[in-house]
Amino acid sequence: MKKNLFFLFLIIVLAFLLRFYALDKVPGSLNPDEASLGYTSFSILKTGADEHGKFLPLSLQSFGDWKLPVYSYIGVIPVALFGLNEFSARFTSMITGVIAVLLIYFTSLKLFNKRGIALISALFLSVSPWSIYFSRGAYEVNVATTIFLGGFLALLHYFQNKRVRYLFLGFVFFGVTMFTQHNYIVFTPVYVFTVLFLFRKNILYNRRWYASIAFFAILIAASYMSIAAGGGKKVSNLNIFNDRNTIYNRVEKLRGDNSPKNNFLERIFHTKYSGGAYQFTLNYLNSHSPNFLFDKGGEKLVHNIGDFGYFYIFDAFFVIVGLAFLLWNKEKKPLLFLVPWLLIAPIPSAITRELSGTRLFTIVPLFMLIASYGAYKMATIWKEGKLRYAACGIFVLFFIGIVVYFLEYYFVHFNHQRIRFWRYGYREAVKLTYKYPTYNVVMRGPENFPYIYFLFYGEYDPSIFRKEVTYYPPTSEGFYFVKSFGRYQFVDKIDYSNLASKSIYIDDTRLDDKKHSIFLPSGEPILGYYITGEKNEKSTK
C-alpha cells in the first residue's frame, strides 16, 4: 500500500513538473481565447461583470463565440493571487491537468480494482501529449474533462454502495461540465442517461434518487437555456446541417449540375439532412482515424502539436489490446461504463464542420484507462521468465524514448515551429506602445482580435473599456470585431499616404523593413511597425 502511494506521489510530481515548468514561456504567446479568458477573470474580479458588462453571466459573449463561464470564474483566484499575466491565465488549466492524473488513478482503481492498472493509468495520463498540451494552455475543455472525471468517480461509488449522496455529488460535477465547455452540453446528458439505463437494475429507486435526477434535469435545462439566450446562433452556424460548405458540396452542387434528375430521389438524397448525415458519419469515422489521433491532429493549427499526434504510438497498441482483453474476459462493469463513452464522445465533434482537438479531448482519459488495462494484462500474461523481462525492458526503453522525443519537440522546438499560430508578436506590439503613452495606435487586422492583447497586458479598466469601445457590425457567423477604444484603432487596411502625426502603425502585411519589425523566435518577421516622427527606432525581438 505504502509503495503504491509512493509511486503515485512520484507520478503526481512528474505530472506537475511537466505542466508547471516554463508555463508562461511555452507556448511563447497567449492565443486570443486565452487572453480573453484571462481578461474576463480580471473583469469579473474588478467589476463582477464580463468585458461586455454582463453581471455574472452564464454565457460569455467574448468575441461573439459565446464561451462558457466556469473557467473564467475559477480563473479569478489565480488572477487575484498572481496578477493578470500568462501564468495566471493558464494556471487553472495547469492545476486541473494535474488533478486529472490523481482522479484517473482512483477512477481506474474503482473500475478495475487493481492498483497496478491504476498506477499505469496515472502514468500514461501524466505524460500524455494531448493532456500536457492542453494543460499548458488556457483550455476550458481540459478543466471540463477533469470535472467530468470527478463526476464519473462519484458515479462509480454510487453503483458500488448505492448511497444517493454520491449520485448527487456526481450530478453536481456533471452539471458543472455543461457550464465549462460546449462538448459536454451534448456529451454529459447523453452519456449519463445511457449509463443509468444500462445499470437500471442496480439502482435503488427512492425519493432522494428522483430528487437527484430532477436536480440534474434542471442543470441540463439551465445550460441549454443559457446557450439559447446567448450563443444559439453561433452554435447553429457550427452545425453541419447549416454549414454552407457542407450544403454546397453535398446538396447544391448536385442539384444544379443540369444532369437528368429523378425528383423522388432528389428529394431523398439531395437535402441538407441527407448531406449533413453523410458528413456526420464521415466526421465520426475520421475522429477515430490514426492520422488524426497519432499523427497530424485537428484542423485548427492552434489546437494541435504539429508533426506529432495527440497520443503516442504505443497507446494505439495498448488500446487495441485493452479492448480485446475486456471483451475476452467479459469485464461487464468496465465495458458498460467505457463502451458508451467511446461511442458517444465523438458526437460533439462529428456534428460540427471540422475535426477539432478540443471537441475530442473527452476521449483522453478513456483511452488512458483502456490502454493501462491492456498494458497491465500484457505485463502479467506471461509467466516468470527471461522473455517477460526482456519484453518489459524493451517496452520501458521505447516508452522513455518516445516520451523524451515528444518533450524535446515541445519544450525546445515548439516556439520555433508553431508559435506563429498563437498570435506571437501581439504582446511585443503592446509593449512597444508603452514607450509612447501619448501616441495613438492604429493596428491592421481586427479579425485577429488584437484588441484583447491591449486589454490584457495593459490591465485596462473594464468599466472604462465598456464606455469607450465601438464595434464593427457583426459578421454572418456572429463575431464582433472591435473598431476602437481609447487611443487604439483597428482597421482592415492602413493608408500609408495619409498618416497622422504622433501615431504608431502596426501591420502584419508590411514586413519589408527589418529595422521596424517584430520577430518570431525563429528570426522571421511577423509584424511591422511605423511611428510617425520617429526615424531611428530599434527592431523588437
Side-chain angles (χ1 to χ4, degrees):
M1 179 66 176
K2 290 183 179 180
K3 182 190 295 186
N4 287 322
L5 291 178
F6 175 71
F7 284 130
L8 176 61
F9 172 76
L10 292 181
I11 291 170
I12 296 298
V13 170
L14 174 65
F16 177 78
L17 292 176
L18 293 178
R19 288 154 179 79
F20 176 81
Y21 170 72
L23 184 64
D24 59 335
K25 296 180 177 64
V26 183
S29 175
L30 292 176
N31 65 49
D33 287 326
E34 290 184 289
S36 177
L37 290 168
Y39 186 74
T40 299
S41 296
F42 176 77
S43 180
I44 292 171
L45 176 65
K46 296 297 182 181
T47 68
D50 67 1
E51 69 176 77
H52 295 273
K54 301 285 183 63
F55 182 75
L56 298 180
L58 292 180
S59 188
L60 305 171
Q61 182 176 342
S62 187
F63 306 133
D65 54 356
W66 296 95
K67 297 174 175 63
L68 293 177
V70 168
Y71 190 104
S72 290
Y73 287 157
I74 299 175
V76 169
I77 299 172
V79 168
L81 292 174
F82 309 118
L84 186 57
N85 50 53
E86 291 91 343
F87 179 80
S88 64
R90 293 169 174 168
F91 181 87
T92 300
S93 187
M94 182 273 294
I95 204 67
T96 52
V98 177
I99 293 172
V101 175
L102 182 63
L103 286 176
I104 203 171
Y105 171 84
F106 291 107
T107 298
S108 182
L109 184 60
K110 184 64 64 175
L111 194 62
F112 299 114
N113 199 31
K114 294 286 186 181
R115 295 190 182 278
I117 301 177
L119 285 172
I120 297 172
S121 298
L123 177 62
F124 279 5
L125 185 60
S126 70
V127 298
S128 163
W130 211 343
S131 178
I132 292 173
Y133 186 85
F134 275 58
S135 296
R136 295 182 59 85
Y139 283 104
E140 303 115 297
V141 71
N142 186 52
V143 177
T145 302
T146 298
I147 297 171
F148 177 82
L149 271 177
F152 185 73
L153 181 58
L155 198 63
L156 292 174
H157 276 282
Y158 167 72
F159 282 114
Q160 177 176 312
N161 55 40
K162 303 298 188 296
R163 294 182 180 177
V164 177
R165 65 171 178 264
Y166 288 115
L167 181 66
F168 182 80
L169 178 62
F171 285 159
V172 170
F173 283 124
F174 289 139
V176 173
T177 66
M178 296 184 291
F179 294 93
T180 307
Q181 205 269 341
H182 290 94
N183 289 5
Y184 287 88
I185 294 176
V186 176
F187 173 71
T188 297
V190 176
Y191 177 77
V192 170
F193 284 118
T194 299
V195 169
L196 291 178
F197 174 77
L198 294 174
F199 285 92
R200 62 191 181 279
K201 294 181 180 179
N202 302 86
I203 294 173
L204 180 63
Y205 297 95
N206 54 38
R207 283 183 294 179
R208 288 186 295 174
W209 186 88
Y210 286 111
S212 298
I213 288 292
F215 170 75
F216 185 51
I218 291 171
L219 290 177
I220 295 172
S223 68
Y224 277 81
M225 288 173 63
S226 69
I227 290 298
K233 180 180 179 182
K234 179 65 179 176
V235 173
S236 177
N237 287 335
L238 288 173
N239 191 320
I240 56 172
F241 294 97
N242 295 322
D243 179 52
R244 293 178 180 178
N245 290 332
T246 298
I247 294 173
Y248 173 76
N249 290 321
R250 304 290 181 194
V251 181
E252 293 176 353
K253 187 167 67 173
L254 298 175
R255 282 189 167 191
D257 64 356
N258 295 322
S259 60
K261 293 182 174 61
N262 182 299
N263 291 333
F264 175 74
L265 293 177
E266 184 172 312
R267 284 195 297 269
I268 295 176
F269 295 110
H270 299 163
T271 69
K272 73 173 185 178
Y273 301 106
S274 59
Y278 186 93
Q279 189 64 44
F280 170 86
T281 305
L282 189 64
N283 289 349
Y284 188 93
L285 294 174
N286 285 336
S287 66
H288 293 98
S289 70
N291 182 63
F292 174 78
L293 295 175
F294 303 101
D295 186 15
K296 297 297 183 184
E299 297 176 19
K300 287 193 174 181
L301 299 178
V302 73
H303 295 159
N304 64 56
I305 302 166
D307 295 321
F308 204 101
Y310 288 130
F311 291 118
Y312 296 116
I313 296 173
F314 64 78
D315 288 328
F317 173 74
F318 285 126
V319 166
I320 295 171
V321 171
L323 282 172
F325 272 111
L326 285 170
L327 293 169
W328 180 265
N329 295 329
K330 297 180 181 179
E331 297 274 10
K332 184 177 179 181
K333 177 183 173 183
L335 283 172
L336 289 177
F337 278 109
L338 300 180
V339 171
W341 191 343
L342 181 65
L343 296 177
I344 297 168
I347 292 176
S349 179
I351 61 177
T352 54
R353 60 195 180 197
E354 60 187 11
L355 283 177
S356 169
T358 55
R359 298 190 190 107
L360 271 167
F361 187 79
T362 312
I363 68 173
V364 175
L366 168 67
F367 271 44
M368 298 301 96
L369 288 168
I370 297 174
S372 62
Y373 182 82
Y376 180 84
K377 287 296 182 180
M378 287 293 294
T380 57
I381 195 172
W382 286 313
K383 296 180 180 179
E384 295 291 334
K386 295 181 179 179
L387 181 61
R388 176 186 178 184
Y389 293 115
C392 289
I394 291 172
F395 169 72
V396 169
L397 290 176
F398 178 68
F399 175 83
I400 294 173
I402 198 169
V403 170
V404 172
Y405 176 75
F406 162 70
L407 295 176
E408 194 270 344
Y409 177 89
Y410 182 78
F411 286 104
V412 177
H413 299 285
F414 183 82
N415 277 346
H416 284 70
Q417 296 288 331
R418 309 285 295 179
I419 201 60
R420 64 167 61 250
F421 306 119
W422 288 66
R423 298 286 188 267
Y424 186 90
Y426 282 46
R427 173 186 57 198
E428 289 69 22
V430 172
K431 291 181 178 180
L432 172 67
T433 65
Y434 290 167
K435 300 176 183 179
Y436 305 87
T438 61
Y439 281 43
N440 291 322
V441 178
V442 180
M443 189 167 185
R444 200 214 73 80
E447 71 278 3
N448 296 324
F449 309 110
Y451 83 95
I452 196 65
Y453 293 92
F454 291 94
L455 295 180
F456 183 95
Y457 289 107
E459 297 189 8
Y460 208 88
D461 190 320
S463 58
I464 295 176
F465 169 73
R466 293 171 203 146
K467 295 176 182 178
E468 295 176 339
V469 65
T470 61
Y471 294 93
Y472 288 99
T475 68
S476 60
E477 293 186 330
F479 286 110
Y480 287 83
F481 300 145
V482 168
K483 186 175 185 179
S484 66
F485 70 92
R487 66 186 181 115
Y488 307 100
Q489 184 180 359
F490 307 94
V491 299
D492 293 321
K493 186 178 180 180
I494 295 174
D495 182 4
Y496 286 97
S497 66
N498 187 27
L499 300 180
S501 61
K502 297 187 68 176
S503 296
I504 304 171
Y505 293 88
I506 305 170
D507 192 343
D508 59 354
T509 65
R510 181 167 173 159
L511 305 173
D512 53 335
D513 185 356
K514 298 298 179 65
K515 292 183 178 180
H516 297 84
S517 293
I518 295 172
F519 296 90
L520 291 167
S522 62
E524 181 183 353
I526 190 67
L527 290 174
Y529 63 90
Y530 183 79
I531 305 174
T532 55
E534 295 289 330
K535 297 182 179 180
N536 297 309
E537 288 302 314
K538 295 181 179 179
S539 62
T540 303
K541 295 186 179 180

